[in-house]
Amino acid sequence: MTGSTAATPIGIHDLAITTTHYVVELDDLANAYGTDPAKFRLGLGQDQFSFPAPDEDIVTMAAAAAKQIIDRNGSQGLRTVIFATESGVDQSKAAAVPVQRLLGLPHEVRVVEMKQACYAGTAALQSALGIVSRNPGERVLVITSDVARYQLDSPGEPTQGAGAVAMLVSADPALLAIEPAAGVYTADIDDFWRPNDSTTAVVDGKLSMSAYLDAMAGAWDDLQAQGGPAIDDIDRVLYHQPFTKMAKKAQAHLAKLTGAALDLALPGDTADENARDTGLATGTLYNRRLGNSYTASLFAGLAALLHHDSDLAGKRVALFSYGSGSVSEVLTGVVQPGYFDADASARFSAVLDARETITIEAYRKLHATERASAEDYVNEVVSKAPFRFTGVSAQARQYESA
Ligand code: HMG
């Protein structure tokens, strides 16, 4: 990987996904709350959500996802780690710093944390593309990791979730070559945010949905203005998924904007024979079991698509990112020959299946536990993940390998 030409493709070389120890079954939540389970399964398009054990957080999930990348690719040429999250655990220190130590990465690496709600993962990816464009011999580790938490008994509660996706960005990528044109759109709006002293998000749910659709329309229009591909030249479309029904709403909006007949079927729905299958259902397979993983959500959709669709080589995928507040971006990439790993979907399904179901009573108790930042404590061992958040000592969070 030496030398640089304008034609050198740059993009996602490898991708790995992980989640938490616990899972909340939305049928259990519906039964406990006296809600029709169909509201969650059909109304939101969600079956479950991941929930962290006390010894897990965004750092342990991030390190577990990134470890898979380092185990497969080594750390040669890796000089930057960009950690995107909106559930940061410190106001000053980047969550990527403990990840550098836990993974045994060289000290000669720059690390940073990026924030702009769920959009930050796409900002991190764009930054990585820029670094590799300038020096194609370098590789950048992009990590998206989040724990989505809303107040108990609020409308957002069933859309919580957690997960991490790590990506290696390089020249001559094995998975997805990202194309240069991108559409962007920023609008200052108070649809969802998390004040510094709050562990849960403040949200105006209905406003957030219209803000999401307006922003994606703005980003799409900008992509066209930047000379990006027309809808008929795009084979698959992925969306940020706060809940999978939102991806269906976004797809309906894109169909209206472009006049294209795009299939709106989610898993379990009957496909429309007169509409084009752009991978909507396939891209939601993991998210409906993870819940909202904020910055990781769009890339969990990409993982689901790459793991389940074996006919993507040479096909163009559009990725719509949205982060409340708000920023949206749509970018496109071309799937590379040889990308398909026939075992990948079974591997990650096994991870999802291995989560321990937590009772609603135990989940509510854990959710309600808030530790003051001045308090030192030791976390009991619960998670079987490769890294643990062991507790707080002298007000600093402590992490170790399992
Ligand atoms: P809600 O109170 O559950 O809304 O809140 P609802 O009563 O309108 O019900 C939702 C859907 O369930 C509706 O379908 C109902 O018809 C249906 P729709 O009309 O939308 O197609 N429904 C049923 N379906 C079948 N059987 C039934 C039944 N009952 C009702 N029995 C809301 C929903 C999304 C507002 C809430 O969960 C919330 O506030 N979530 C958090 C905010 C959110 O996710 N916003 C999405 C866009 S913003 C975004 O994506 C950014 C974000 O990820 C964060 C970031 O960027 O940082 C959140």
Side-chain angles (χ1 to χ4, degrees):
M1 281 193 295
T2 53
S4 156
T5 69
T8 304
I10 299 172
I12 301 172
H13 184 68
D14 195 8
L15 174 149
I17 179 167
T18 194
T19 188
T20 58
H21 179 80
Y22 287 128
V23 61
V24 172
E25 296 288 345
L26 283 178
D27 284 359
D28 293 349
L29 196 75
N31 291 333
Y33 289 9
T35 305
D36 180 355
K39 174 167 182 183
F40 299 156
R41 282 194 184 271
L42 303 175
L44 298 175
Q46 294 300 130
D47 296 337
Q48 305 174 319
F49 64 76
S50 287
F51 192 77
D55 58 346
E56 293 179 307
D57 69 3
I58 56 160
V59 172
T60 62
M61 283 194 297
K67 181 178 185 306
Q68 299 174 47
I69 300 272
I70 301 302
D71 286 351
R72 290 197 287 256
N73 300 276
S75 59
Q76 202 194 354
L78 186 66
R79 292 182 54 76
T80 308
V81 181
I82 311 178
F83 193 126
T85 188
E86 70 174 281
S87 41
V89 291
D90 192 278
Q91 293 284 9
S92 169
K93 185 172 176 175
V97 177
V99 170
Q100 176 272 338
R101 175 177 61 80
L102 290 170
L103 294 182
L105 296 178
H107 289 289
E108 293 74 24
V109 66
R110 67 171 75 81
V111 308
V112 71
E113 184 172 313
M114 276 197 177
K115 177 177 72 180
Q116 177 21 61
C118 306
Y119 167 69
T122 306
L125 177 59
Q126 283 289 14
S127 307
L129 294 168
I131 289 169
V132 178
S133 303
R134 202 169 68 150
N135 188 351
E138 287 192 20
R139 301 188 295 175
V140 179
L141 182 60
V142 170
I143 311 177
T144 57
S145 182
D146 264 304
V147 176
R149 278 165 82 98
Y150 296 92
Q151 279 187 358
L152 291 172
D153 306 312
S154 71
E157 186 186 359
T159 71
Q160 295 177 125
V165 175
M167 293 171 276
L168 189 64
V169 173
S170 75
D172 298 317
L175 299 182
L176 190 72
I178 307 287
E179 298 182 293
V184 290
Y185 187 85
T186 292
D188 187 1
I189 188 162
D190 295 329
D191 62 328
F192 167 110
W193 66 100
R194 184 167 67 85
N196 279 345
D197 59 353
S198 177
T199 56
T200 53
V202 184
V203 61
D204 180 337
K206 300 291 174 205
L207 177 66
S208 74
M209 289 195 282
S210 61
Y212 175 123
L213 297 177
D214 290 348
M216 73 163 280
W220 173 258
D221 287 347
D222 188 48
L223 179 73
Q224 299 307 298
Q226 299 298 316
I231 190 70
D232 291 344
D233 296 324
I234 296 174
D235 303 290
R236 301 286 186 273
V237 187
L238 297 169
Y239 303 92
H240 167 56
Q241 299 172 47
F243 48 96
T244 69
K245 180 85 167 286
M246 191 70 217
K248 177 176 179 163
K249 290 177 191 291
Q251 174 100 327
H253 200 59
L254 184 64
K256 200 165 140 203
L257 286 172
T258 58
L262 308 177
D263 188 30
L264 302 181
L266 288 177
D269 296 345
T270 308
D272 177 354
E273 283 176 9
N274 299 314
R276 190 153 62 90
D277 175 10
T278 55
L280 175 70
T282 311
T284 64
L285 289 172
Y286 292 157
N287 288 281
R288 67 182 297 128
R289 300 188 64 189
L290 291 170
N292 195 351
S293 55
Y294 288 160
T295 53
S297 162
L298 175 63
F299 303 104
L302 177 61
L305 184 75
L306 295 176
H307 290 177
H308 290 87
D309 189 338
S310 59
D311 185 29
L312 289 177
K315 300 231 162 88
R316 179 178 280 128
V317 181
L319 294 99
F320 276 97
S321 181
Y322 176 72
S324 285
S326 67
V327 180
S328 181
E329 175 159 352
V330 54
L331 45 81
T332 61
V334 177
V335 180
Q336 299 300 291
Y339 76 94
F340 190 66
D341 173 354
D343 300 327
S345 68
R347 272 202 310 271
F348 190 57
S349 296
V351 170
L352 291 170
D353 293 344
R355 289 171 299 172
E356 182 185 338
T357 302
I358 186 170
T359 64
I360 299 306
E361 193 188 2
Y363 144 72
R364 284 182 66 93
K365 206 167 147 198
L366 267 185
H367 192 296
T369 306
E370 285 195 23
R371 303 271 199 176
S373 60
E375 185 191 351
D376 283 1
Y377 54 88
V378 175
N379 283 325
E380 59 171 326
V381 179
V382 180
S383 160
K384 298 183 181 69
F387 305 102
R388 292 186 53 242
F389 164 39
T390 54
V392 171
S393 172
Q395 290 188 261
R397 293 172 83 87
Q398 306 296 314
Y399 297 95
E400 68 180 29
S401 300

